[in-house]
Amino acid sequence: MSKKKRIFIALHYLELGGVETSLIGLLHALDYSHYEVDVFLYRHSGELLPHVPKLARLLPERSVYAHLEQPIITTLLHGHLRLALARLRAKWRFHRYVQRTAPKDGSAIFGFVGAETVKVLPTLEDLGLYDLAVSFLTPHNIVLHKVQARRKVAWIHTDYSRIDVNVDLELPVWSAYDAIASISPSATKAFLMRFPTLQPKVVEIENIQPTSLIHAQLQAVNNENVLKEMPCPTGTWRLLSIGRFCEAKNFDNIPAICRRLWEMGLSVHWFLVGYGEGEALIRRRIKEEGMEGKVIVLGKRTNPYPYIAACDIYVQPSRYEGKSVTVREAQLLCKPVVITNYATASSQIEDGVDGIIVPMDNEGCAQGIARYLRNTSLRQRHIAHLQAHDYSGREEVQKIIRLMSN
């Protein structure tokens, strides 16, 4: 009997989110009769933690890694002085970078954090040699320098045209990997605009949905209870959006879009599942637009699938995405989908075939949703298309396996 190949996968934690769900999908798609899979979470936290397959080995938490994103005072109180100093150096370097370049957002800080903290983190050489090591989320310095593997791959999960990147700092890290996995053609294009020399290393691997887990989660909840949380008078549409309450997801504009739909004579209740620092802004916009009772913040839900099943239309109004996992989940559950025309939208759905793409501005978005709600035959065609096609992406796991030998 041949020896199993060894795979190492690293991620920060398993909080609710698209990247984390994508990892769960990958773990459920691997064949454990052929591969020994070690999952290294920097911190053992998150609602998705129980969904790591039993056949995958969840490596023990290591305290210094667990404090990579904890408050610096907490890091000091747990005795990690060198890590605290490294994070302070990263903040200082980022502050100087901001003074020189005036970046459009704070995304570049992750490159500085990776560069400084990797100097003080202990190696993971005691785990032995792996056939493939996967860094599933930035910063990618840790897997590059702390793990022994014959081949290493780093993942792209976002639209690099929408975030700030210190190319000089990050290019050497990306270049040192054997392969770079991108979740969509549009994400690849945006990434290569920043790092054109890395084109030969990029391989496109779509997100994999944990289909069996999704259906099990769907059956685990009483639908009547979900419908009580999503009350709608007869003749009213249930719209749903899921995601972190942050700038990228654009949920702060949903109240204005919803108001326009009501002004067009469409009775809609729009439900938001998620959490994040943007919740106060969303609630303020709901009040400003007079949409109390029409835009309803449900908050964090560890099991979002019954809510998808209960909605009439799933809407992703994002400003930017790499490739939305929740859109794929909605399609997997055969729900009509509306997304805004963000840069990677054409990689997400085929407009008019398995969903529609609407303008980004509030008026155009509302007009597009209104036309879709009024076009019953188009929605039915989309549902039929979704029912006839596989949206799990399970076959993508073979591309990962090929990375071990290619």
Side-chain angles (χ1 to χ4, degrees):
M1 185 176 178
S2 60
K3 186 178 178 181
K4 290 183 181 180
K5 298 275 190 178
R6 301 186 72 218
I7 301 173
F8 174 96
I9 305 175
L11 186 62
H12 300 230
Y13 39 68
L14 282 173
E15 307 286 350
L16 290 174
V19 174
E20 294 80 1
T21 302
S22 176
L23 175 59
I24 295 297
L26 166 58
L27 292 174
H28 278 264
L30 287 165
D31 182 353
Y32 292 90
S33 66
H34 291 90
Y35 306 103
E36 179 184 295
V37 181
D38 285 353
V39 180
F40 182 57
L41 299 178
Y42 303 152
R43 190 170 76 248
H44 284 199
S45 67
E47 293 84 354
L48 295 176
L49 196 57
H51 300 303
V52 174
K54 289 182 171 54
L55 290 173
R57 183 170 70 139
L58 182 60
L59 296 172
E61 186 180 87
R62 304 196 183 200
S63 180
V64 64
Y65 282 89
H67 285 83
L68 279 168
E69 296 180 55
Q70 294 296 299
I72 289 179
I73 186 65
T74 303
T75 304
L76 283 169
L77 289 172
H78 282 80
H80 303 300
L81 174 62
R82 296 180 67 212
L83 178 61
L85 291 174
R87 290 174 57 191
L88 287 171
R89 283 196 301 271
K91 286 189 173 186
W92 176 73
R93 289 183 64 188
F94 178 65
H95 177 68
R96 293 186 61 196
Y97 169 78
V98 169
Q99 290 180 319
R100 293 195 311 270
T101 64
K104 58 187 175 183
D105 66 15
S107 302
I109 193 171
F110 297 109
F112 293 100
V113 170
E116 291 298 332
T117 58
V118 77
K119 298 174 185 177
V120 303
L121 291 171
T123 70
L124 302 172
E125 292 179 355
D126 57 296
L127 298 173
L129 179 67
Y130 289 90
D131 295 284
L132 180 69
V134 176
S135 179
F136 212 64
L137 191 65
T138 55
H140 295 303
N141 312 61
I142 293 173
V143 171
L144 179 62
H145 294 292
K146 301 301 180 182
V147 181
Q148 290 183 306
R150 293 186 174 90
R151 293 184 62 79
K152 296 181 180 181
V153 57
W155 236 265
I156 306 167
H157 283 284
T158 193
D159 177 0
Y160 268 76
S161 69
R162 295 299 302 264
I163 63 173
D164 184 64
V165 177
N166 184 329
V167 173
D168 293 336
L169 188 64
E170 293 199 22
L171 180 59
V173 178
W174 290 104
S175 299
Y177 274 85
D178 298 289
I180 299 167
S182 170
I183 59 175
S184 74
S186 297
T188 299
K189 181 179 178 182
F191 178 79
L192 292 177
M193 287 177 66
R194 298 293 183 91
F195 303 101
T197 60
L198 297 178
Q199 184 171 9
K201 290 181 179 284
V202 176
V203 56
E204 284 169 9
I205 303 175
E206 290 197 14
N207 292 322
I208 301 170
Q209 304 302 323
T211 311
S212 58
L213 176 63
I214 288 173
H215 288 292
Q217 291 284 89
L218 194 59
Q219 300 300 319
V221 173
N222 187 322
N223 287 342
E224 290 184 6
N225 292 336
V226 172
L227 291 174
K228 287 178 183 177
E229 293 186 71
M230 303 173 73
C232 278
T234 303
T236 303
W237 299 91
R238 284 188 181 90
L239 275 56
L240 176 69
S241 298
I242 300 174
R244 286 198 173 105
F245 296 159
C246 62
E247 170 75 11
K249 301 302 181 184
N250 196 29
F251 287 5
D252 51 292
N253 273 314
I254 285 177
I257 299 166
C258 190
R259 175 179 59 77
R260 286 169 167 82
L261 291 170
W262 277 88
E263 289 172 352
M264 295 175 198
L266 290 162
S267 300
V268 300
H269 283 196
W270 199 325
F271 299 90
L272 310 183
V273 170
Y275 66 101
E277 69 280 359
E279 182 171 345
L281 174 60
I282 294 168
R283 292 188 181 277
R284 187 167 75 246
R285 293 283 175 81
I286 290 172
K287 187 172 291 188
E288 290 170 354
E289 298 292 343
M291 288 290 103
E292 296 97 331
K294 297 179 176 66
V295 176
I296 298 97
V297 178
L298 294 175
K300 181 185 283 191
R301 293 294 184 272
T302 58
N303 180 3
Y305 307 116
Y307 299 89
I308 297 175
C311 77
D312 297 301
I313 292 181
Y314 182 82
V315 185
Q316 195 69 40
S318 300
R319 291 181 171 98
Y320 64 92
E321 291 278 354
K323 193 161 191 177
S324 171
V325 170
T326 51
V327 167
R328 268 290 182 259
E329 290 171 339
Q331 291 178 314
L332 190 68
L333 295 176
C334 301
K335 289 295 174 177
V337 170
V338 177
I339 66 173
T340 44
N341 192 25
Y342 45 81
T344 60
S346 60
S347 295
Q348 183 79 71
I349 69 171
E350 188 176 353
D351 189 23
V353 176
D354 57 2
I356 66 166
I357 301 174
V358 299
M360 181 76 70
D361 66 282
N362 291 346
E363 181 63 30
C365 181
Q367 292 282 355
I369 293 172
R371 285 193 296 271
Y372 199 44
L373 288 173
R374 289 170 174 147
N375 194 336
T376 304
S377 62
L378 178 60
R379 293 197 315 278
Q380 289 176 340
R381 288 201 301 274
H382 289 175
I383 292 170
H385 181 91
L386 296 169
Q387 290 171 337
H389 291 78
D390 180 11
Y391 283 86
S392 70
R394 190 176 180 87
E395 70 284 351
E396 296 294 296
V397 75
Q398 295 305 318
K399 296 179 182 178
I400 300 169
I401 299 308
R402 286 197 291 271
L403 291 176
M404 281 187 278
S405 57
N406 186 9

